[in-house]
Amino acid sequence: MAVAGTPGHGPLAGVRVVELAGIGPGPFAAMLLADLGADVVRVDRPGGAGLAINPEYDVTNRNKRSVILDLKTENGQERVLDLVERADILIEGYRPGVAERLGVGPGTCHARNPKLVYGRMTGWGQEGPLAQRAGHDIAYIALTGTLGMIGRPDEPPTVPANLVGDYAGGSLYLVVGVLAALHHARATGAGQVVDAAIVDGAAHLAAMIHGMLAAGGWQDRRGANLLDGGCPYYGTYETADGQYMAVGALEQQFYAEFAELLGIGELASARKDLARWGELREAVAARFKTRTRDEWTAVFEGSDACVAPVLSLREAPAHPHLAARGTFVDHGGITQPAPAPRFSVTHTAVRTGPAQPGADTADVARDWGVPHLLKASDPKKASDPKKASDPMKDGA
């Protein structure tokens, strides 16, 4: 099996990335770069990163390689700088100032490698009154107004797992940022710092909504708008077996087909009458309650009514469309999403399972030309909790 750094796997083949181990959005961003073919070396800390999951199942570390270095020692810092000297991108997710105190801040790294793209992943950003505060996804999206948009009007806001903040507003913006900066660095020879803050990304995700709000086309409250569950033909409905169907029949032609197949043709005219939306919603809900999820799935099969069954995480991989596309793959006994997006020439794949802390030291030392790594990395320290850093203290 090819190792993570083997050329020819994805459009980022040949790009070298140093990831300073953390939890959440930083590792996911590094995984995405690795999925796209970059040679990602994760610098794990002695004692682990504090994530309550067996490293063998941490899919966000797939397609990477790992070395263990103690950044609280001068030798560990120097070895990281040896890697930085040979890298294109570095990703860290500490609180502002922590990387500098550990001797691997942007100034020190750029002194060794002026072309380096230094990616910083935090919740609050590098500057601002809250920059030094601890936080998690839910707090970041709460302040941006994003969380307040989601859920029913008569219930507390619905928590969208950590997808909107950590991964959409955080990881994906970091990846866009470091790749844009890499393009600039290769054109000019000048590296730079990318400040990716989840509050910035989560706010940016709602750009269209802010435009609609300014135009009077969006009400600043939950469950009152076209795309937030307020619209009776854009939402979810319970079926006879306690499962759910998702409806997104926004356009007239799709709504007409939806109304016909659901059997509420007599209420079709209520689509544009806001005063009748309550009546329409009750009728739609009552109809869906008459059959099971599978029965309704069969009714809408092959139509343009924009209706789909709401599947669980375990059910999704077996859906015929996702199975046909290979949207999920099985690697090492773990069913997981395949790399995305897809490329017509530089194909991507899950090449290796989750990197195990320190397991790739010898290979990285050879491939990156850093022989001192073999002396600096001590796998035995990985099981010593006394030497572990506190990710809640140092992290984003």
Side-chain angles (χ1 to χ4, degrees):
M1 179 178 292
V3 298
T6 301
H9 291 281
L12 294 185
V15 173
R16 286 178 168 178
V17 179
V18 173
E19 175 199 355
L20 303 184
I23 58 176
F28 187 89
M31 180 203 75
L32 180 50
L33 294 172
D35 283 353
L36 296 178
D39 182 5
V40 177
V41 172
R42 177 177 166 95
V43 178
D44 278 300
R45 66 186 79 188
L51 185 63
I53 183 175
N54 186 324
E56 295 180 3
Y57 294 92
D58 188 356
V59 173
T60 63
N61 282 329
R62 71 185 186 192
N63 288 338
K64 303 178 185 178
R65 299 193 282 183
S66 169
V67 300
I68 293 176
L69 293 171
D70 189 349
L71 282 172
K72 295 187 176 181
T73 68
E74 183 176 347
N75 188 41
Q77 296 166 11
E78 189 59 31
R79 298 294 78 79
V80 168
L81 292 175
D82 286 342
L83 292 171
V84 163
E85 190 172 333
R86 296 155 174 80
D88 299 290
I89 297 168
L90 178 142
I91 288 176
E92 61 95 356
Y94 303 131
R95 291 198 207 185
V98 171
E100 285 82 351
R101 292 198 296 273
L102 292 174
V104 291
T108 305
C109 288
H110 281 140
R112 291 285 288 266
N113 181 357
K115 295 182 179 180
L116 180 73
V117 172
Y118 195 105
R120 315 198 82 163
M121 181 75 263
T122 62
W124 304 116
Q126 297 298 311
E127 300 173 339
L130 296 179
Q132 291 297 329
R133 286 269 298 276
H136 278 294
D137 172 291
I138 192 169
Y140 309 139
I141 65 174
L143 279 195
T144 61
T146 313
L147 178 60
M149 293 168 45
I150 306 172
R152 295 176 57 85
D154 54 348
E155 297 177 358
T158 298
V159 180
N162 67 331
L163 302 178
V164 174
D166 279 353
Y167 298 140
S171 304
L172 298 186
Y173 278 86
L174 176 61
V175 169
V176 170
V178 297
L179 292 182
L182 178 62
H183 176 75
H184 176 266
R186 290 186 166 178
T188 66
Q192 61 183 301
V193 176
V194 177
D195 176 4
I198 294 173
V199 289
D200 295 345
H204 192 264
L205 287 170
M208 183 190 75
I209 304 299
H210 280 279
M212 295 174 69
L213 183 66
W218 189 275
Q219 299 184 60
D220 197 10
R221 55 192 179 92
R222 289 191 300 283
N225 299 284
L226 192 65
L227 302 174
D228 66 355
C231 174
Y233 42 91
Y234 195 90
T236 56
Y237 290 92
E238 187 175 1
T239 55
D241 55 347
Q243 299 296 316
Y244 292 87
M245 298 294 289
V247 177
L250 291 177
E251 293 82 357
Q252 173 60 47
Q253 67 273 28
F254 303 148
Y255 175 80
E257 191 165 356
F258 162 70
E260 179 182 352
L261 291 174
L262 189 66
I264 58 165
E266 72 281 2
L267 288 174
S269 61
R271 173 177 173 266
K272 291 187 176 182
D273 188 350
L274 296 183
R276 298 182 65 192
W277 270 15
E279 176 190 3
L280 179 57
R281 179 180 289 103
E282 291 180 2
V284 172
R287 284 294 297 156
F288 272 118
K289 275 281 197 174
T290 64
R291 299 183 184 182
T292 67
R293 186 187 67 178
D294 289 347
E295 289 172 336
W296 281 119
T297 299
V299 168
F300 290 103
E301 185 74 27
S303 76
D304 278 340
C306 300
V307 177
V310 178
L311 304 182
S312 71
L313 291 174
R314 293 191 184 279
E315 289 176 316
H319 187 276
H321 180 77
L322 303 184
R325 285 185 58 80
T327 299
F328 291 86
V329 297
D330 187 287
H331 190 280
I334 302 175
T335 300
Q336 57 196 279
R342 306 179 185 205
F343 301 85
S344 62
V345 176
T346 52
H347 304 297
T348 58
V350 178
R351 305 181 301 280
T352 62
Q356 301 305 292
D360 308 294
T361 302
D363 289 339
V364 173
R366 178 194 66 233
D367 296 344
W368 285 47
V370 187
H372 294 301
L373 272 180
L374 295 173
K375 298 179 181 178
S377 294
D378 185 359
K380 294 180 181 180
K381 292 182 180 179
S383 60
D384 185 357
K386 295 180 181 179
K387 293 186 177 292
S389 298
D390 182 358
M392 297 306 297
K393 178 180 179 182
D394 294 343

